[in-house]
Amino acid sequence: LPVATALQSIAGQYQLVLGQDGTYDPDLPLFSTLQEMNEGEGYMIYVDTAVTLTYPVAAPLADVQQTAFAANNAPPTPYFTIVYGDARINGVPAPPGALIEAVTTRGDAAGRFVVRQDGVLGFTSVYGEDGTAVPGFREGEEIVWRVNGHTAVPAAPLFWQNDWQTHAIELDLVGYWIYLPAVEK
């Protein structure tokens, strides 16, 4: 079911829904990457007070399927923060298909997002180290950004913390030009 439909019994009482395939914020739907809630999957729902969630009675039962981890994200760890905002290339909104990565100072991508809508960096989980082979950020480490493999500069630096909160950023990849050959006929 669409997230708002699945959670209609607690409408106005939750701020954020986290799932393996994305994040949903009812106040920032443009940046939300979680569109549907599916049977057999787990979700963390941040609420204001104790609530009782009742799924809609008329909801059709969906087939329970194994879903692959969202292509937009790096390998997950239990430690993360969430970033969203505007992405530009030379002042122009980044086009659909642009790859935005959060990179550690050791060069490991620990958060990824593929732009779907001009200039929109949707909710992106940026992961911390967990002591295994999975790379991630360390507490207080500055997040380095890449757009299509090139370093992008945020309007303000963001330092990683395991806070499970959303952080707005503005990225601009400056000085990156694509040169195409001139063809004369």
Side-chain angles (χ1 to χ4, degrees):
L1 292 173
V3 177
T5 302
L7 302 180
Q8 67 187 4
S9 68
I10 60 170
Q13 297 176 300
Y14 66 94
Q15 301 85 31
L16 200 62
V17 180
L18 302 176
Q20 184 173 355
D21 294 327
T23 302
Y24 178 80
D25 183 330
D27 295 331
L28 297 169
L30 175 66
F31 300 102
S32 294
T33 53
L34 179 66
Q35 303 301 316
E36 294 181 344
M37 295 179 75
N38 298 302
E39 286 184 71
E41 294 184 22
Y43 299 92
M44 291 193 311
I45 304 170
Y46 289 84
V47 297
D48 294 326
T49 61
V51 297
T52 300
L53 173 62
T54 306
Y55 287 102
V57 177
L61 295 176
D63 293 330
V64 177
Q65 302 175 8
Q66 288 283 26
T67 57
F69 186 73
N72 286 335
N73 289 316
T77 70
Y79 314 106
F80 64 92
T81 193
I82 303 166
V83 179
Y84 71 97
D86 299 320
R88 298 182 170 280
I89 298 175
N90 292 321
V92 176
L99 174 63
I100 299 172
E101 297 174 293
V103 183
T104 68
T105 56
R106 293 163 304 288
D108 298 314
R112 290 187 184 99
F113 184 80
V114 176
V115 174
R116 294 183 192 124
Q117 184 176 347
D118 285 344
V120 176
L121 169 62
F123 288 122
T124 303
S125 294
V126 178
Y127 296 100
E129 274 187 333
D130 71 346
T132 66
V134 176
F137 284 91
R138 296 174 182 158
E139 193 70 30
E141 182 176 8
E142 184 172 357
I143 300 173
V144 176
W145 297 96
R146 288 192 305 220
V147 176
N148 292 336
H150 300 274
T151 302
V153 179
L158 181 62
F159 297 91
W160 190 88
Q161 54 187 335
N162 180 35
D163 61 4
W164 297 16
Q165 300 296 312
T166 58
H167 302 274
I169 64 167
E170 293 179 23
L171 291 177
D172 197 359
L173 174 56
V174 179
Y176 176 67
W177 299 96
I178 298 175
Y179 293 95
L180 300 174
V183 178
E184 285 186 38
K185 185 173 183 182

